[in-house]
Amino acid sequence: MTILLATLLGVAGCTQLPKTGNKVMGDSEAPENAAPVTELTADLLFDFLQGEIALQRNQPGVAVESFIRMAKETRDPGIAEHATDIALRARRFDDAREAIDLWATLEPNSIQAHQAAVALFVATGQLNKVRPHIERLLVLEPETVDKAFMQLNKLLSHHPDKEAVLKLIRQLAASYPDLPEAHFAVSQAAWVARQFKSASEAMSQALKLRPEWEMAAVHQGQILQKIDTDKAQAFYSQYLDRFPRANDMRIAYIRMLMEEKEFDRGREQFQKLEQANPSNPDIALAIGLLSAELDDLENAEKYFKRALQLGFEDADTIHFNLGRIYEISQRDAQAMDAYQKVASGDRYIPAHVRYAYLLAKRDGVVAARHYLKTIQVSDERQRTQLLISEAQLLRDNNDFRGAYDLLDAYLRKYPEQIELLYDRALMADKIGKLDVLERDLRKLIQLKPDNAHAYNALGYSLAERGEQLPEALALVQKAIELSPDDPYILDSLGWVYYRMGDPRKGIKYIKLAFDTRSDPEIAAHYGELLWISGAKQDAEKIWQTALEDHPENELLLDTIRRFIK
């Protein structure tokens, strides 16, 4: 609370009030920490009381207007900040814009004011208004400019216009030609915008300024792979000749060689990595993880065990990964033993959930559910994870009613558990409670308006029922805006267009989804649209391939039965 607000609350009978904010420059007559005073007028007191009463009555719009008037009259940045906070909490973005503009004008050197402006304008997609505030922050915090550039792409990652993001970052970087992080940021933005040549050029400049920067070299290698694999290999080799201890770079090189099926050269690099780091448990773990990623489970197991022998400090991570290897290779007893050794950390709940799933396979669902209830949790988040896992266990065994009842009972006690609302909606769909599905998803959207999956699920459900198709389209388009590369959302968009009578447009999006992820349900949709468009042989080929990998998928089987008699 500002001094002015505190004084209004505590000593409203006074006629002079101290003003908050920084000391006014040039006020040589004032003591070192003194500030100008503001006269308490009837209008000022009325605005304050009106604002406070409006807050108590949940009328944020009235409150913001009152405090903005106060800020304009008093020139008090603290009150403008208070108005900004109220508007942002109430998600009244137009009011927030006015309050933030006033705050930044009254206190142009306030880091908090410019941070709030950046957060608001990024959230509302107004890149044209973001730039001056970011520029001001870079000036106000010169000691962290390098870190700021490294965070820029993450900050702007949700903006759908990647070309506009690239343009903005180039403009910001132009003032810092000798800062390698500025060129790195440009390269990242160009990569996201799929301008690989520009991305490579910017990263080359970063490496010219800082040749030993291994992270930049790794990124450059990945960029060059998109342009020319021969150039990428030459770059990796030349860099490692100069910096032979660059372990991350060598790991990236190995990954590329394996992806290109150059196994002999890949093994050669593995040997160099191991020979250079014979007693390093971190490198043993890295080799194990890379081997697992490349489906070389034998080597993955070997190096995970070596990391344990070398004393890798996070044994839980290794036991979890060993458990996954044993499970994939159908050594269930060893997998269960490994999972039970995970005693803490981020892998604790996932490991014991996997143990429960294997227990269900061996002893049945009742035994697995009992085990889940014995797992010790440290907070509500972990408890929720276990509840979702138990519901998933029931769902995997086609007990949709049991899963629904489990989630429903918990949500009756805690009705705003966001993670559970989505899962109950999915189970409601399975048992025909479409009113619950729609209610839960609409509530989830209200509680978490950036949840792309909620928009997608509701839009898809409406389209599947042939109801409210214009709204279904708007919902899925919103989901695409929030998560533009999600194949399941692209599939939903294509399906909505199909339901609206535009299969040609539907195929366009479902093909994009299928090219990204050959999921059986996406394959079912893709085949259906191909079939009705006349490409029956292509449809059958898509379905047959999907059926070989997913012979029990209900939607896929039902779709095939409807078209192939």
Side-chain angles (χ1 to χ4, degrees), residues 446-558:
Q446 182 182 8
L447 292 172
K448 194 170 177 56
D450 61 347
N451 190 309
H453 295 294
Y455 290 99
N456 179 57
L458 181 55
Y460 179 82
S461 176
L462 292 173
E464 186 68 4
R465 287 177 272 155
E467 299 175 1
Q468 300 163 249
L469 292 176
E471 184 188 8
L473 179 61
L475 286 163
V476 178
Q477 285 176 330
K478 177 64 176 178
I480 285 284
E481 180 184 321
L482 292 167
S483 186
D485 299 321
D486 189 310
Y488 298 106
I489 300 176
L490 287 167
D491 172 64
S492 294
L493 184 59
W495 197 246
V496 173
Y497 278 122
Y498 171 44
R499 291 294 194 183
M500 295 180 76
D502 192 349
R504 181 172 295 182
K505 201 166 188 178
I507 285 178
K508 171 186 173 184
Y509 289 103
I510 293 180
K511 183 181 184 304
L512 281 173
F514 186 75
D515 288 345
T516 303
R517 188 177 184 88
S518 55
D519 178 87
E521 298 192 2
I522 297 175
H525 289 160
Y526 189 25
E528 180 165 339
L529 267 66
L530 287 170
W531 184 282
I532 66 154
S533 300
K536 294 184 179 181
Q537 289 185 339
D538 291 338
E540 288 189 43
K541 184 177 179 181
I542 293 288
W543 287 333
Q544 185 58 43
T545 301
L547 199 59
E548 289 172 3
D549 294 329
H550 308 278
E552 298 180 2
N553 185 271
E554 292 180 15
L555 177 63
L556 181 61
L557 290 169
D558 179 64

Side-chain angles (χ1 to χ4, degrees), residues 75 125 147 165 191 255 278 280 288 290 301 310 325 379 396 408 534:
R75 310 301 292 168
K147 295 180 179 65
V165 171
W191 167 271
R255 179 178 287 109
N280 188 328
L290 181 57
E301 181 179 349
L310 291 171
I325 289 172
D379 53 37
D396 289 347
D408 186 61

Side-chain angles (χ1 to χ4, degrees), residues 127 159-171 189-190 192-195 198:
L127 290 189
H159 195 281
D161 189 344
K162 306 307 180 186
E163 298 280 351
V165 171
L166 173 58
K167 180 180 178 182
L168 171 62
I169 293 179
R170 275 182 171 149
Q171 290 170 337
V192 173
R194 303 190 67 80
Q195 294 188 19
S198 295

Side-chain angles (χ1 to χ4, degrees), residues 45-82:
L45 183 58
F46 175 80
D47 277 333
F48 171 75
L49 293 174
Q50 183 183 51
E52 288 299 310
I53 292 170
L55 281 178
Q56 294 172 15
R57 294 179 177 175
N58 195 27
Q59 297 174 324
V62 175
V64 171
E65 290 175 6
S66 297
F67 286 116
I68 286 177
R69 280 197 301 272
M70 288 178 65
K72 288 178 178 177
E73 183 175 341
T74 63
R75 310 301 292 168
D76 188 328
I79 298 176
E81 178 182 0
H82 190 53

